Amino acid sequence: KREIGENDDFICEMIRKDLVEDFISYVNKTNFSLETRFMTSIFETNSFLVKSFSTSLIEYAAFHGSIQILQYLLFNKVEFNQSLWKFAIHGNNAEIIHLLEENKLKPDDEFLNQYLEEAIKCHHNGIANYFQNIYLQKEKYDAYFQCFKYYNFFFIENELLHNHFSLYDL
């Protein structure tokens, strides 16, 4: 189970696979609270989830890009907050990003650079590009350091690479 590296709870498996019908059936049959938080499993190997220590169902759904289950949870008024953004960035699902925006959860200006860094770290360049263009367009965020730190060179312009890392300089 550790080699697989995922929480082995049945509810977690349904969320990862976005099995919304099974999820709804299970929740109704067992009277499972949609506000449940679960502790990180000893089998979980993703460092982001391990560091989170306790994860809500909605955060877990966002993390795994499970749009149908996330929609169900939002429809059922499950509480969510700014922390959901980092989970959604990891989920790399543009629909979830837009769903958060539609549900009046705009990213807090104070954390925009952290969200961009998280997207760069995960190599989710579409999400990083979206944040940079939509939310950070007024201020020029210097992503170069983050690109080198996480080996994600998507945002480094060719001219910069050529000027500083040219084979001719060797």
Side-chain angles (χ1 to χ4, degrees):
K1 289 182 180 185
R2 181 79 173 160
E3 193 173 301
I4 293 170
E6 297 172 335
N7 191 321
D8 68 337
D9 285 347
F10 182 61
I11 192 100
C12 292
E13 182 180 347
M14 287 185 288
I15 293 172
R16 282 193 304 274
K17 294 179 178 178
D18 204 16
L19 302 173
V20 71
E21 291 174 12
D22 295 344
F23 180 84
I24 294 168
S25 175
Y26 178 82
V27 165
N28 290 334
K29 284 180 186 174
T30 62
N31 203 22
F32 195 86
S33 171
L34 297 179
E35 298 291 341
T36 297
R37 298 187 70 82
F38 48 91
M39 307 307 273
T40 301
S41 166
I42 61 169
F43 304 119
E44 185 63 61
T45 57
N46 185 288
S47 62
F48 181 82
L49 288 176
V50 170
K51 288 177 189 173
S52 298
F53 189 64
S54 168
T55 307
S56 68
L57 297 178
I58 198 165
E59 290 169 338
Y60 201 76
F63 182 87
H64 288 286
S66 302
I67 185 73
Q68 295 178 93
I69 290 179
L70 192 103
Q71 287 172 324
Y72 173 79
L73 294 168
L74 288 172
F75 179 78
N76 283 281
K77 310 273 190 256
V78 170
E79 188 177 324
F80 58 93
N81 57 36
Q82 281 292 317
S83 72
L84 196 54
W85 276 105
K86 279 194 175 181
F87 289 90
I89 289 165
H90 276 268
N92 197 26
N93 186 330
E95 280 185 85
I96 289 177
I97 299 294
H98 296 303
L99 190 63
L100 296 181
E101 293 168 332
E102 289 168 10
N103 280 277
K104 311 287 189 266
L105 185 64
K106 297 287 185 199
D108 189 335
D109 290 343
E110 182 181 342
F111 300 110
L112 285 174
N113 288 335
Q114 288 178 26
Y115 298 153
L116 178 60
E117 179 180 349
E118 201 67 36
I120 290 169
K121 178 180 172 181
C122 296
H123 291 243
H124 295 159
N125 297 329
I127 303 281
N129 203 29
Y130 180 77
F131 268 90
Q132 197 165 33
N133 290 334
I134 301 301
Y135 293 110
L136 294 167
Q137 61 197 11
K138 294 177 187 121
E139 62 180 84
K140 193 69 175 161
Y141 176 71
D142 187 6
Y144 295 132
F145 175 73
Q146 305 308 328
C147 291
F148 287 109
K149 182 178 178 181
Y150 299 114
Y151 302 100
N152 183 348
F153 306 116
F154 180 79
F155 291 100
I156 299 177
E157 292 137 19
N158 285 336
E159 183 178 320
L160 176 77
L161 286 174
H162 179 71
N163 290 340
H164 294 287
F165 300 100
S166 174
L167 292 176
Y168 301 112
D169 293 339
L170 299 177

